[in-house]
Structures are given as C-alpha cells and as structure tokens.
Amino acid sequence: QVQVVESGGGLVQPGGSLRLSCVVSGIRFSFYDLGWYRQAPGNKRELVASMSSGGSTNYEDSVKGRFTISRDNAKNMVYLQMNSLKPEDTAVYLCNVKYSFLGYWGQGTQVTVSS
C-alpha cells in the first residue's frame, strides 16, 4: 500500500520561511519523479516545483529563487524549502510522486501567509 504524507505547513508572516516534508512508503522511491503542487480556494491545482528521479528540477516562475525542492532517497523523503513567503503563496500544498503511468498524492498541508 502506497502512502504519501505531508507535514510542515502552518501560519507564517510575510517574508518568513517554512519547510514542508513528505514521506512516501510502499514504492521504489528512487525511481519516482517528485512534485509539489498547491491549490488555493477557487484556483486550479498548480505545479510549484518538481524533481526528476535523476535530480533535475523545475520551478513555477513565481517561486523561482525562493523555493527549493530536494529529496533524500535513503529516507524516502521529499522537501520543499520555502523562503520569502508572500500572502499569495497561501494554499494547500500537496506532494505527488509518479513513475510512468503510476502516480500518488498526499492529503496536503495548509500553508497560510498572513500578518
């Protein structure tokens, strides 16, 4: 059984930082491409950052230079370091792992950026 569990969300002031974590079980983790998505109320889900199984990364334009995705294959973990947070970063952040036609989602963790 595959499980994807995010953590690390919360309330932070503008300009602050958060580190999201995602632990995955039940798969050959190192084979999988990874992604962090976010979805704000009334908006469609968008890809924020991704990392291939080979380590290549991509970022959505609005987070470039502020967010960093990383992975630890030994621990089956994926992280999203978020710095210089803005109110528009407020959303539910979801972890996704995929390999070929297989893909799995976590339940998400809420990030709220507000003073």
Side-chain angles (χ1 to χ4, degrees):
Q1 182 181 359
V2 179
Q3 288 190 312
V4 180
V5 181
E6 303 95 336
S7 62
L11 174 63
V12 63
Q13 292 187 342
S17 298
L18 280 176
R19 187 194 194 206
L20 304 183
S21 300
C22 174
V23 60
V24 186
S25 59
I27 61 172
R28 297 282 295 273
F29 182 78
S30 62
F31 286 16
Y32 280 67
D33 297 330
L34 310 173
W36 283 100
Y37 290 72
R38 66 186 178 189
Q39 188 164 20
N43 291 358
K44 64 180 181 179
R45 189 172 294 182
E46 64 173 354
L47 178 62
V48 173
S50 64
M51 176 176 275
S52 71
S53 57
S56 299
T57 58
N58 279 290
Y59 296 92
E60 195 270 329
D61 284 346
S62 70
V63 308
K64 285 180 180 177
R66 300 190 297 123
F67 290 10
T68 304
I69 188 172
S70 60
R71 67 191 296 164
D72 185 336
N73 288 339
K75 296 181 179 179
N76 283 19
M77 296 286 295
V78 57
Y79 305 98
L80 185 67
Q81 178 66 43
M82 305 186 296
N83 299 327
S84 302
L85 283 161
K86 304 175 181 180
E88 52 264 42
D89 295 318
T90 295
V92 175
Y93 284 71
L94 303 106
C95 180
N96 174 263
V97 296
K98 65 178 182 179
Y99 176 73
S100 185
F101 58 87
L102 297 172
Y104 305 96
W105 292 91
Q107 294 292 330
T109 185
Q110 176 70 45
V111 172
T112 302
V113 185
S114 175
S115 55

